[in-house]
Amino acid sequence: MPETTVESIAPVTAPVPSVESGHTGSGAFATARQQRRYWILIGALAILSVLIAVGIVTWNNPVPFGTAGYWRITQMRAGSLLVIALVVVCQAVATVSFQSATNNRIITPSIMGFEALYVAIQTAAVFFLGAVGVTLFQGVAQFALMVVLMVGFSLMLYGWLLSGKYANLQVMLLVGIVLGGGLGSVATFMQRMLTPSEFDILTAKLFGSVSNADSSYLPLAVPLCVVSAAILWWRARRLDIIALGKDVTTNLGLNHRREIILILFLVSVLMATTTALVGPLTFLGFLVATLAYQFATTHEHRYVFPVAILTGFVILGGAYFVLKNIFYAEGAVSIIIEAVGGSAFLYVILRKGRL
């Protein structure tokens, strides 16, 4: 009979992976290489963002440096820079949060009819009041009214379709699509009844453009954007759980319906703010969110949000700088972004083969 030793009966254990071997354990990143890649990406996007911001503010200033005129022009350009930053934060945080809440990486908050409502309100103002209707819907009070109407519209939709016996998120999305299409049809009918001059004035308001923003709106828009985005960022770990689905969320002790309603409310505030500020930008959020998930290589929102915001600033700020200073067509920024974002949307749908 062979002699039994301690070594022969000792359990065989697998070697514990270490950080040096390329594993990070159960964290946000699968390997240390992905973690290093993430922080390198954040640094590169941050540097690009700073360069673009400096270029927007200082490039081709016709007044000599240090004079009163130079700083006045710089201050005006800084207002456009702040608007770009606000739009990017609103679109990026809102789209990523909305996709997690609905558990769908293709749809965007625009599907709920925010932009259709904005177009319908602006068109109705011109239709009933004439060209003067555009000026009547300018100012802080009118901006606040626009935000309240869009947020109220979304809350009515959420409260109706996410409560009661037949509460269903998919039904809510479908109803949002139908209402958005109906508002768009009404707006199109009114636009056909306008005179050519009134239609030209209205068209300028319906294009998403940084130049549409009024600096007087910023004292109201900045707090709305910062507070809503900060709350979503603070609840990033809850978003990680909600993205796993209703069953997992409920089993982990969270009230799924209450969490969804809160997220959708904050998303509606962000989308209403950016739409009332600059106009419709349908595919910017989708483009930013899609690229953010590709770049970040993680699904944790506290890491996805920074990549989405920086990527959005590079895209929107870079497009604004190039089109304004090289092609002298800053009004075409939304057209370029919508074309690129729409192409990315079609590519993702064709690659997945489903919605």
Side-chain angles (χ1 to χ4, degrees):
M1 183 174 179
E3 182 181 358
T4 302
T5 62
V6 175
E7 290 79 5
S8 64
I9 63 175
V12 179
T13 59
V16 178
S18 61
V19 175
E20 287 75 16
S21 64
H23 298 275
T24 61
S26 59
F29 302 96
T31 64
R33 180 181 179 183
Q34 287 185 355
Q35 191 174 18
R36 289 194 300 269
R37 179 176 174 269
Y38 174 84
W39 291 112
I40 292 173
L41 172 68
I42 287 291
L45 290 174
I47 292 173
L48 280 175
S49 298
V50 171
L51 293 176
I52 291 172
V54 172
I56 291 174
V57 173
T58 63
W59 184 268
N60 199 25
N61 193 324
V63 183
F65 177 79
T67 61
Y70 179 89
W71 295 116
R72 189 175 298 111
I73 293 176
T74 301
Q75 184 178 5
M76 294 173 59
R77 294 181 176 182
S80 299
L81 182 64
L82 180 58
V83 170
I84 293 173
L86 283 177
V87 170
V88 167
V89 171
C90 290
Q91 292 278 345
V93 176
T95 303
V96 172
S97 301
F98 186 79
Q99 290 180 348
S100 297
T102 57
N103 198 20
N104 192 312
R105 293 285 181 82
I106 294 179
I107 61 177
T108 68
S110 301
I111 200 173
M112 300 307 301
F114 295 107
E115 296 174 356
L117 181 61
Y118 171 85
V119 171
I121 293 174
Q122 294 288 344
T123 304
V126 178
F127 180 80
F128 291 108
L129 302 176
V132 73
V134 174
T135 59
L136 290 178
F137 265 82
Q138 293 179 350
V140 178
Q142 289 78 1
F143 173 79
L145 176 62
M146 188 77 67
V147 173
V148 169
L149 288 174
M150 286 189 279
V151 174
F153 172 78
S154 62
L155 286 179
M156 179 185 66
L157 199 61
Y158 305 154
W160 173 39
L161 297 173
L162 289 180
S163 61
K165 183 178 179 181
Y166 302 103
N168 189 293
L169 185 62
Q170 282 68 38
V171 172
M172 183 200 72
L173 297 176
L174 291 174
V175 172
I177 294 174
V178 173
L179 291 178
L183 289 172
S185 298
V186 172
T188 301
F189 172 77
M190 289 189 291
Q191 289 171 11
R192 291 182 178 274
M193 304 294 290
L194 299 177
T195 64
S197 59
E198 292 174 340
F199 182 78
D200 289 341
I201 295 173
L202 175 64
T203 302
K205 293 290 295 182
L206 298 185
F207 273 110
S209 176
V210 176
S211 59
N212 285 342
D214 191 332
S215 59
S216 63
Y217 301 166
L218 296 180
L220 179 59
V222 171
L224 288 174
C225 173
V226 172
V227 172
S228 300
I231 293 175
L232 287 171
W233 202 320
W234 178 62
R235 300 173 66 87
R237 294 191 182 276
R238 289 176 178 258
L239 280 169
D240 296 338
I241 298 174
I242 291 167
L244 299 176
K246 181 179 180 180
D247 294 337
V248 175
T249 302
T250 304
N251 290 336
L252 291 176
L254 294 180
N255 187 323
H256 183 264
R257 187 174 70 87
R258 184 177 63 191
E259 295 291 334
I260 290 294
I261 290 178
L262 178 59
I263 292 171
L264 294 180
F265 168 71
L266 296 172
V267 167
S268 67
V269 173
L270 292 173
M271 291 302 298
T273 301
T274 183
T275 304
L277 187 64
V278 300
L281 290 171
T282 305
F283 290 110
L284 176 61
F286 171 80
L287 179 61
V288 168
T290 301
L291 293 177
Y293 280 113
Q294 295 293 324
F295 293 160
T297 64
T298 181
H299 298 284
E300 290 198 17
H301 290 78
R302 60 194 177 111
Y303 293 104
V304 175
F305 281 148
V307 177
I309 292 172
L310 291 173
T311 302
F313 188 87
V314 170
I315 292 174
L316 183 58
Y320 177 82
F321 175 79
V322 171
L323 290 175
K324 179 181 180 181
N325 296 287
I326 297 178
F327 297 101
Y328 305 102
E330 59 182 293
V333 171
S334 62
I335 299 174
I336 301 299
I337 290 177
E338 297 298 276
V340 175
S343 301
F345 179 79
L346 292 176
Y347 170 75
V348 172
I349 290 180
L350 293 175
R351 188 182 65 177
K352 288 181 175 293
R354 60 183 178 86
L355 284 175

